[in-house]
Amino acid sequence: MVKCTSALRAFVFHDFKNGLTPSQCLVRLQKTFAGESIPSKRTIQRWFSDLRAGRSVLEDLSRAGRRPTAVTPDKIIALCDFVIAHPHASYAQIRHAVDIGSSQCTAILKWELGMKKICSRWVPHTLTVDQKQARLVFCQNLINVFGGEDEQRLKEIVTGDEMWGYYYNPLTKRQSMEWVKKTDPRPLKVRRSRSVRKTMFIVFFNSSGVVSILKLIPTPGRRTINAAYYVKTCLKKLVQKLRKKRGKTGFRGLKLHHNNASSHTCSLTTDFLQQEGLKLLPHPVLARPLTM
């Protein structure tokens, strides 16, 4: 749409005063300014409406435009405080709380505060400094024992773990996005689910793949795994499968690795493993040298 200049507006004003219609005014403009850009019929009709309403000024009327105080130190501080208090807030929520425009909100977040919104990195659980150091020692011991050229030795380690499988997780990664500064590390979030229905999977695996997997659906009489259930249902099934796979080799050199859950460390479990001749690999929390 062509902007109506002062000369064209004067021409429209002249035709309006002489009682012409917008269509007649458009025809006269096309004849007078042949080959030049002229306003559309809709623009002429709008000018006729304004003139009927009493407009007498042909120049552009003054407009407020963008507020000059949109990006001020007070707005920057207010936006920063709001984002710190509500790191998951959306652009719309920030603009509404601080009373600022979209472009100014983006400018403050990006250029003034140097912030960006990113997803949290899922981790199974958080660790203390001592726990991290214990795992470092454990990994160094593993490298010393199994880090040679013979990769077949890795098959000697059978790892067992339990995991709850939830039917749904109401909080997605995008919903957990937070505002952080570019220099800040990626935030961590312990993965949890609020679904009531869930299933526990007990999995034993080695470097070649899954050795044994069991599924436990909680019932009124079975909500946790105790030592008797772990030995009778999990370990006995694991021992049967390992004997079938290894044949005459037996459990020579084989080592089981599981965490320090009460059902794993009680005497009933350790006695069963000792009776079957299955050695236990220390858990990283213990952080003691491996004895092979």
Side-chain angles (χ1 to χ4, degrees), residues 122-126 166 168-171 189-195:
W122 290 117
V123 293
H125 50 78
T126 55
Y166 294 88
Y168 69 91
N169 185 3
L171 188 61
K189 183 177 182 63
V190 179
R191 191 166 192 171
R192 291 290 184 268
S193 177
R194 298 180 182 178
S195 63

Side-chain angles (χ1 to χ4, degrees), residues 124-140:
H125 50 78
T126 55
L127 299 175
T128 64
V129 176
D130 293 338
Q131 289 172 334
K132 292 179 181 179
Q133 182 62 33
R135 279 158 174 74
L136 176 62
V137 173
F138 179 80
C139 293
Q140 289 174 340

Side-chain angles (χ1 to χ4, degrees), residues 257-284:
H257 173 224
H258 52 197
N259 58 25
N260 289 333
S262 58
S263 59
H264 300 169
T265 57
C266 72
S267 58
L268 184 63
T269 303
T270 55
D271 291 345
F272 174 80
L273 294 175
Q274 186 175 4
Q275 179 183 351
E276 295 293 336
L278 191 59
K279 292 185 178 180
L280 191 62
L281 194 66
H283 190 61

Side-chain angles (χ1 to χ4, degrees), residues 4-23:
C4 194
T5 62
S6 298
L8 295 174
R9 291 172 186 172
F11 194 99
V12 173
F13 180 76
H14 175 271
D15 288 355
F16 171 77
K17 286 296 185 180
N18 284 276
L20 275 64
T21 64
S23 298

Side-chain angles (χ1 to χ4, degrees), residues 141-167:
N141 291 334
L142 280 181
I143 293 175
N144 294 334
V145 176
F146 300 99
E149 297 181 357
D150 186 9
E151 297 182 358
Q152 293 295 323
R153 293 209 61 189
L154 293 176
K155 294 182 180 180
E156 298 176 357
I157 302 176
V158 177
T159 303
D161 198 9
E162 302 88 17
M163 181 189 70
W164 283 110
Y166 294 88
Y167 283 70

Side-chain angles (χ1 to χ4, degrees), residues 102-116:
S102 176
S103 59
Q104 288 74 38
C105 178
T106 304
I108 293 177
L109 287 170
K110 185 175 181 180
W111 304 112
E112 299 294 339
L113 301 179
M115 303 185 77
K116 58 182 180 179

